[in-house]
Amino acid sequence: MAASLPSGKIVSADFRVGNSGQSAVLILHGFLQTSEFPTVASMSDALSAAGYTVLAPTLSLGISRRNRSLPCEAVHLHTLDDDVAEVAFWVRWLLRKGHGSIILVGHSFGNLQLLTYLDRHPPPAVKQVLLIALTDVEVKQDARQRAQQAQDFRNRAARGDNTLIETEFGACKKYVSPSAALLSYMKLSRRSILDSLVNSPVPAAVILGGQDDRMGADWLDTLVARGITVRVIPGASHFFDNQYEFDLQEALLQALPGS
């Protein structure tokens, strides 16, 4: 299904109607991906089969009618605020459809967009957030290195320098973006993620793969030390592929109300 943003851009989502007595679940894909990404599609299938209404949007990332993942080397003008505004748009869309109970589920970087959304006073209809393969933004750069990089971006932006920067970002070795857009994502840090989790206005839980190589060695212990509810699926990767797809589906369903 498609919808029009206030900007005029056309965005799409995988929407599946479920039982009227169950919550609607909004599932958000990882960075630069779409709702068709295998991990997201698998969760959509499982939740739909269990009777939940499922809405899995594809963020526009500044591109009208985007229907495929973006390469790292593309020019990225989108910002974290843009992403969060689209999450808010889809939550309002569910509200207009009459859904009074909404659960948020994210995969990878999509979790950080959801947590940022939750920091901004979501409506009471949002009841819970489940974070699958929660991204550790400091796995490759520590807080000091990220702060230095962010200061460089701020200096460029202050000079009005809109030159495209090619830098390592997330899973991208060559991510291309202007400094202002990069800065929006650099607001995210381990500390901000943990603070958002601890201060979440709704119950939050994390599901991690035991063999997720995109996390720092201490990420799990750090989450647990802050009192975050974490379930680990031994052997699973960041994407819960192969047989671990079904372990993720089971863990997800067990974490939802009424399951």
Side-chain angles (χ1 to χ4, degrees), residues 44-163:
S44 296
D45 289 343
L47 291 170
S48 179
Y52 292 94
T53 290
V54 176
L55 177 71
T58 292
L59 296 180
S60 73
L61 304 183
I63 299 172
S64 191
R65 302 184 187 277
R66 187 175 76 88
N67 60 6
R68 62 186 66 184
S69 62
L70 294 182
C72 295
E73 297 81 5
V75 175
H76 299 281
L77 303 179
H78 51 89
T79 67
L80 178 62
D81 286 341
D82 296 335
D83 304 340
V84 173
E86 289 189 31
V87 172
F89 170 85
W90 286 113
V91 170
R92 291 194 299 270
W93 189 90
L94 284 171
L95 289 173
R96 289 196 299 271
K97 291 288 185 180
H99 295 285
S101 176
I102 300 170
I103 296 169
L104 306 178
V105 176
H107 177 249
S108 192
F109 198 92
N111 295 311
L112 308 189
Q113 292 153 331
L114 293 182
L115 286 174
T116 304
Y117 167 74
L118 289 172
D119 286 340
R120 301 180 182 183
H121 309 293
V126 177
K127 304 296 186 185
Q128 182 180 7
V129 63
L130 299 173
L131 310 164
I132 315 302
L134 176 62
T135 297
D136 176 7
V137 295
E138 293 176 16
V139 66
K140 293 182 180 179
Q141 294 177 308
D142 62 25
R144 179 184 59 80
Q145 292 169 321
R146 284 173 57 82
Q148 290 176 342
Q149 188 178 43
Q151 186 59 53
D152 175 55
F153 295 158
R154 278 192 290 273
N155 292 341
R156 290 171 181 258
R159 296 195 302 266
D161 183 354
N162 293 318
T163 304

Side-chain angles (χ1 to χ4, degrees), residues 132-198:
I132 315 302
L134 176 62
T135 297
D136 176 7
V137 295
E138 293 176 16
V139 66
K140 293 182 180 179
Q141 294 177 308
D142 62 25
R144 179 184 59 80
Q145 292 169 321
R146 284 173 57 82
Q148 290 176 342
Q149 188 178 43
Q151 186 59 53
D152 175 55
F153 295 158
R154 278 192 290 273
N155 292 341
R156 290 171 181 258
R159 296 195 302 266
D161 183 354
N162 293 318
T163 304
L164 293 175
I165 299 169
E166 184 180 288
T167 186
E168 185 170 6
F169 180 69
C172 295
K173 294 188 180 298
K174 295 181 180 180
Y175 183 82
V176 181
S177 183
S179 57
L182 278 164
L183 265 174
S184 72
Y185 293 107
M186 293 299 290
K187 297 174 186 175
L188 298 167
S189 65
R190 268 197 171 198
R191 180 174 180 177
S192 74
I193 293 167
L194 293 167
D195 286 348
S196 292
L197 280 166
V198 170

Side-chain angles (χ1 to χ4, degrees), residues 27-31 33-35 40 57-59 66 107 109-110 113:
I27 307 178
L28 192 62
H29 58 78
F31 201 54
Q33 300 302 325
T34 73
S35 62
V40 172
T58 292
L59 296 180
R66 187 175 76 88
H107 177 249
F109 198 92
Q113 292 153 331

Side-chain angles (χ1 to χ4, degrees), residues 164 226 228:
L164 293 175
R226 290 297 297 270
I228 310 302

Side-chain angles (χ1 to χ4, degrees), residues 232-249:
V232 178
I233 297 179
S237 73
H238 189 71
F239 304 107
F240 297 86
D241 45 7
N242 301 319
Q243 72 269 27
Y244 300 106
E245 168 187 358
F246 305 106
D247 295 319
L248 174 59
Q249 291 178 358

